[in-house]
Amino acid sequence: MASKRELLEELLAPVVESLGCELWGIDYQTHGRNALLRIYIDSERGISVDDCEKVSRQVSAVMDVEDPISSKYTLEVSSPGMDRPLYKLEQYQRYIGAQVELRLRMPLDGQRKWRGLLAGVEGDEIVLRIDSENEYLLPIDSIEKANIIPQFDSEK
């Protein structure tokens, strides 16, 4: 059975792509009787406020017709930003060599929060290098949330 997020992605990806953007990911959170639907869009040219507005308008229309969320919800459309969340293996593949911060669904070696270098992707697992001696293979399904840690050059 597909998750709510997967169903929403399937419904909304064609809408976002028809407007010249990529559906980077979806966060769907419920808070009591209210919910938040946050849609991240990306593009090689970057994302403007106008892009977010166009996508928001189109997504709202589709959501009104299809009605996949029965409760009251707030829709947000945004760029993934510098600390972009990672959802799919292809996205992890794209950011090999980046520092990442992630939270696991269940603890591994007594901890859920991890930070390290995204060293690779093997099958449906990511390789997280904590230091020169410790690497972990983490199944993507075990990752609850992952974000890129922005790196800034200290040199001018």
Side-chain angles (χ1 to χ4, degrees), residues 125-138:
E125 299 178 316
I126 67 157
V127 180
L128 185 66
R129 183 174 302 142
I130 303 303
D131 54 39
S132 61
E133 298 175 13
N134 294 303
E135 275 189 0
Y136 292 85
L137 277 176
L138 304 171

Side-chain angles (χ1 to χ4, degrees), residues 42-105:
D42 203 8
S43 171
E44 286 183 15
R45 69 185 188 300
I47 293 298
S48 68
V49 173
D50 288 341
D51 292 324
C52 292
E53 180 185 351
K54 287 177 197 167
V55 169
S56 179
R57 222 176 302 120
Q58 287 297 107
V59 164
S60 287
V62 169
M63 295 290 287
D64 287 348
V65 171
E66 298 295 328
D67 200 25
I69 300 175
S70 56
S71 63
K72 182 179 174 184
Y73 68 93
T74 301
L75 172 65
E76 291 182 8
V77 178
S78 174
S79 157
M82 293 180 67
D83 61 342
R84 66 183 49 225
L86 300 174
Y87 297 94
K88 303 171 189 151
L89 279 172
E90 303 81 46
Q91 294 169 342
Y92 286 93
Q93 188 77 40
R94 229 191 271 187
Y95 284 92
I96 290 174
Q99 291 290 319
V100 294
E101 185 172 65
L102 53 88
R103 185 173 60 230
L104 300 177
R105 296 183 197 287

Side-chain angles (χ1 to χ4, degrees), residues 4-27 37-45 47 55-56 59 63 75-80 84-88 90-91 94:
K4 178 68 89 175
R5 189 172 63 91
E6 291 169 330
L7 293 170
L8 289 167
E9 279 185 24
E10 192 175 298
L11 176 65
L12 301 177
V15 176
V16 173
E17 290 166 7
S18 74
L19 296 169
C21 298
E22 171 190 2
L23 178 61
W24 184 262
I26 293 178
D27 281 340
L37 175 60
R38 184 174 292 128
I39 299 173
Y40 294 104
I41 59 173
D42 203 8
S43 171
E44 286 183 15
R45 69 185 188 300
I47 293 298
V55 169
S56 179
V59 164
M63 295 290 287
L75 172 65
E76 291 182 8
V77 178
S78 174
S79 157
R84 66 183 49 225
L86 300 174
Y87 297 94
K88 303 171 189 151
E90 303 81 46
Q91 294 169 342
R94 229 191 271 187

